[in-house]
Amino acid sequence: MDPVIIVGAGPVGLTLALALARQEVPSVVLDEGPGKDEPRPARTVVLREDTAALLERLTGVAVADHGVRWTGWRSVRRRQVLTEITFDEGDPAAPLHLAQHVLTGALRAAVAHEPLVEVAADSRLDSIEQERSGISAHTRGPKGTWWRGSYLVGCDGPRSTVRKLQDIRFPGRTSVERHAVAALRVELPWEGQALLHRMPPWRSSGPSAGEVTARPLPDGVWRLDWLLPPGKDLVTPDILVARIRETLAGWTDGTTPAYDLLDTGVHTVHHRLARRWRAGRVFLAGDAAHLLGALGTQGLDEGLRDADNLAWKLAPAWHHGHHEALLDSYQAERRAVVAARLRAADQLLPVLRGGGGLRHYVPGAARGHDALLTDGHLGRGPVGAPGAYADSPLTPRHLEAEIQVDTPFGSPVADVRVTAEDGSFVQLRDRLGRGALLVVLIAPGTGVWDRKHWVSAGVMPRLAAAVAALPHPAELLVAEGYPGAPAHSVLLVRPDGHLVTALNGVRPADLYAAAEATLGGAVPEEKEQEEKKEEAEAGSGVR
């Protein structure tokens, strides 16, 4: 079968290519550029723990070693500290901050060693032709040619050619926020700690709305962002240097410390959402599908979640075909999550930036501002937190043995230690992204015994038979415990790490029904389904 065509060689496109390769799906990445990225220290990304872990699984590189995990967060208004949060070492709530070109470089290096991924540099897409059996894409440039693929995914950014060729509307708001940005090497009084300073007391010498953010990077480098007032006033180099000197002096008792200016820019935030994320065999992901970023939120983090969600759904379709409902669920899940974040941000922007309306929304004006902005920067609350797929069309219905655990259904699972089928101890998150469903038995006490002593005892044979009979490949894991899960409960986890359901004991029929729903009903022929159900019931002694 033809490879998946990925248009765009940014972090989202390269992540998708590696995620597909992990599930034995070949791809060709059409790179409009020369195949390398210009270092831009002022262009950085903030990742949550689960997206950083996704990148580490795919690249084999400890991404955290190339960035800085914040040791804390402070929010200051004038000279008053409103919020101060300390992150312990290994705290999953601590964001990871790194330069985007470093991240892209790690992804490119991994792709270069992946035989299932081909990168075509200097290849600019100019036309797409869909057929019932596949898709063709034409590129122009030194290597202009026709490419044949099974599916095509547009990861080609805000001005997506794929989106335009498919005539997909991209409505939303332009210039929601503007920030002057600088990356500089300097010693600041709060090493490793990110800072949001609103209404700083020093006098402004340039355009500013009175808000500056400082976020640490490796090697003593900091990224500083100044919120600019509405409009298109030019930010000249002289204005920006004056702003840097003034801000640094304000943070260090009036004397500007020595600094090395590495990079500058103006970052404009837009809020847009594509009407459709799928058009037949064509999909959109990342900035081609959505733009967000106001109030401290991070758009790339959502783009990586797009790639993770789409990869495991394209894999069964590529290997087996006839998975339309599963492919449709990509748009249903991901678009709903991003739309909710955009709605929350658009509702809060007038409150936080309008100056005067806050008391109608949040009691305690200054601290209400601070709480909402902190949520955005730290990836919490309706603006910043990654969404769950509770209302997904893949959610199983009417499971008699279903129970609640601390993780809501449709949300990312907790990363607990599990015993794999070969008897090794691994983290649950390490088993994600391989294309298989994960079935996790909660069995306290198993961690102190060799696997051979309990693999054939108790409920294990019944559960193993039920897992073998599922309509999709699944891996059986055993955990000592899971937050909120009683002993002998069984969790079903999707390949992208979202919890499908939790069952009270080994219930083959419910487990099969949940797995079937997770695949969107796109399973083998009805007769084969019935045979597998009978096998599951026979293996468990249920009639």
Side-chain angles (χ1 to χ4, degrees):
M1 192 170 178
D2 295 316
V4 174
I5 300 173
I6 299 171
V7 183
V12 175
L14 296 173
T15 297
L16 177 60
L18 290 170
L20 288 171
R22 191 174 170 94
Q23 297 170 75
E24 300 182 349
V25 177
S27 63
V28 56
V29 180
L30 304 182
D31 187 354
E32 182 179 326
K36 58 183 180 180
D37 300 276
E38 177 187 358
R40 288 293 311 274
R43 190 176 187 187
T44 65
V45 298
V46 177
L47 301 176
R48 290 175 57 86
E49 189 203 21
D50 56 342
T51 46
L54 165 67
L55 294 169
E56 291 187 2
R57 286 197 304 273
L58 296 177
T59 63
V61 172
V63 178
D65 292 346
H66 298 276
V68 168
R69 282 205 183 276
W70 299 348
T71 61
W73 166 267
R74 286 202 309 153
S75 180
V76 180
R77 182 177 182 269
R78 299 188 187 277
R79 296 187 184 278
Q80 179 186 11
V81 176
L82 296 180
T83 301
E84 188 158 13
I85 299 171
T86 299
F87 298 119
D88 296 330
E89 186 175 353
D91 187 341
L96 173 66
H97 187 211
L98 70 161
Q100 182 165 319
H101 70 268
V102 172
L103 172 59
T104 308
L107 289 165
R108 285 191 182 276
V111 162
H113 292 90
E114 177 50 67
L116 289 177
V117 181
E118 176 185 359
V119 178
D122 298 313
S123 297
R124 183 179 179 85
L125 180 75
D126 61 9
S127 66
I128 297 172
E129 293 183 4
Q130 289 204 57
E131 303 168 11
R132 187 170 183 177
S133 60
I135 193 164
S136 298
H138 187 266
T139 56
R140 55 187 172 88
K143 300 179 181 178
T145 187
W146 282 98
W147 300 86
R148 182 68 179 171
S150 53
Y151 298 94
L152 184 145
V153 185
C155 305
D156 49 344
R159 297 180 176 85
S160 172
T161 301
V162 173
R163 190 184 63 241
K164 293 172 183 176
L165 289 174
Q166 295 302 298
D167 196 25
I168 297 174
R169 293 183 59 201
F170 198 39
R173 301 175 59 193
T174 301
S175 299
V176 176
E177 289 185 347
R178 282 200 315 149
H179 297 260
V181 182
L184 58 156
R185 185 174 285 107
V186 65
E187 186 175 340
L188 292 179
W190 43 84
E191 183 179 356
Q193 192 175 58
L195 170 74
L196 171 66
H197 199 156
R198 305 187 70 246
M199 301 180 68
W202 51 84
R203 188 185 182 109
S204 172
S205 60
S208 174
E211 182 176 304
V212 57
T213 306
R215 289 173 283 198
L217 287 162
D219 303 322
V221 176
W222 291 80
R223 170 172 165 166
L224 273 57
D225 292 62
W226 294 268
L227 179 66
L228 300 174
K232 298 183 179 179
D233 294 337
L234 183 64
V235 182
T236 66
D238 288 343
I239 289 175
L240 188 53
V241 169
R243 168 62 57 198
I244 292 170
R245 295 181 63 82
E246 177 184 68
T247 301
L248 295 181
W251 285 340
T252 54
D253 299 323
T255 303
T256 302
Y259 68 91
D260 183 12
L261 183 59
L262 305 177
D263 191 20
T264 63
V266 174
H267 174 53
T268 303
V269 176
H270 309 289
H271 278 182
R272 295 188 177 277
L273 186 65
R275 291 288 190 194
R276 293 178 293 144
W277 291 28
R278 182 187 182 192
R281 291 179 175 269
V282 175
F283 298 83
L284 300 178
D287 286 352
H290 51 77
L291 294 175
L292 70 163
L295 309 180
T297 58
Q298 297 291 320
L300 178 59
D301 201 70
E302 289 291 3
L304 297 175
R305 296 178 196 281
D306 295 344
D308 198 22
N309 185 289
L310 182 57
W312 82 266
K313 296 172 180 178
L314 282 174
W318 191 89
H319 287 293
H320 308 296
H322 309 300
H323 283 65
E324 291 304 303
L326 184 61
L327 294 177
D328 283 342
S329 73
Y330 166 67
Q331 173 177 307
E333 291 181 346
R334 292 299 307 147
R335 191 179 187 279
V337 164
V338 175
R341 291 188 68 178
L342 285 172
R343 281 194 300 271
D346 286 342
Q347 289 168 1
L348 292 175
L349 273 166
V351 177
L352 295 172
R353 306 303 190 204
L358 182 66
R359 288 182 178 83
H360 297 292
Y361 293 83
V362 181
R367 294 194 179 276
H369 273 268
D370 173 67
L372 295 170
L373 288 168
T374 294
D375 282 352
H377 282 276
L378 297 186
R380 310 186 309 195
V383 176
Y389 306 138
D391 298 323
S392 166
L394 305 182
T395 301
R397 313 292 179 188
H398 313 302
L399 300 178
E400 293 181 3
E402 192 168 72
I403 58 173
Q404 299 295 319
V405 296
D406 288 359
T407 302
F409 298 149
S411 296
V413 292
D415 189 25
V416 298
R417 192 179 81 153
V418 296
T419 304
E421 292 183 346
D422 62 1
S424 62
F425 294 110
V426 296
Q427 291 301 119
L428 177 57
R429 192 174 283 157
D430 293 339
R431 314 307 290 183
L432 300 176
R434 300 167 181 262
L437 299 172
L438 302 181
V439 178
V440 185
L441 172 67
I442 310 304
T446 51
V448 300
W449 297 97
D450 191 286
R451 183 176 181 274
K452 65 183 180 181
H453 295 305
W454 48 261
V455 70
S456 59
V459 300
M460 279 297 291
R462 293 173 56 204
L463 182 56
V467 170
L470 292 179
H472 188 78
E475 181 179 7
L476 176 56
L477 305 168
V478 179
E480 282 265 0
Y482 186 90
H488 304 139
S489 55
V490 175
L491 312 182
L492 180 63
V493 182
R494 298 177 1 165
D496 61 352
H498 288 254
L499 180 64
V500 176
T501 190
L503 303 175
N504 183 19
V506 179
R507 305 296 181 95
D510 278 354
L511 186 61
Y512 189 99
E516 188 177 45
T518 303
L519 298 171
V523 294
E525 297 298 327
E526 291 185 5
K527 182 177 180 180
E528 187 175 346
Q529 294 179 38
E530 292 302 321
E531 290 175 351
K532 288 198 170 186
K533 285 183 180 179
E534 290 175 4
E535 290 175 11
E537 293 173 351
S540 62
V542 175
R543 285 290 185 269

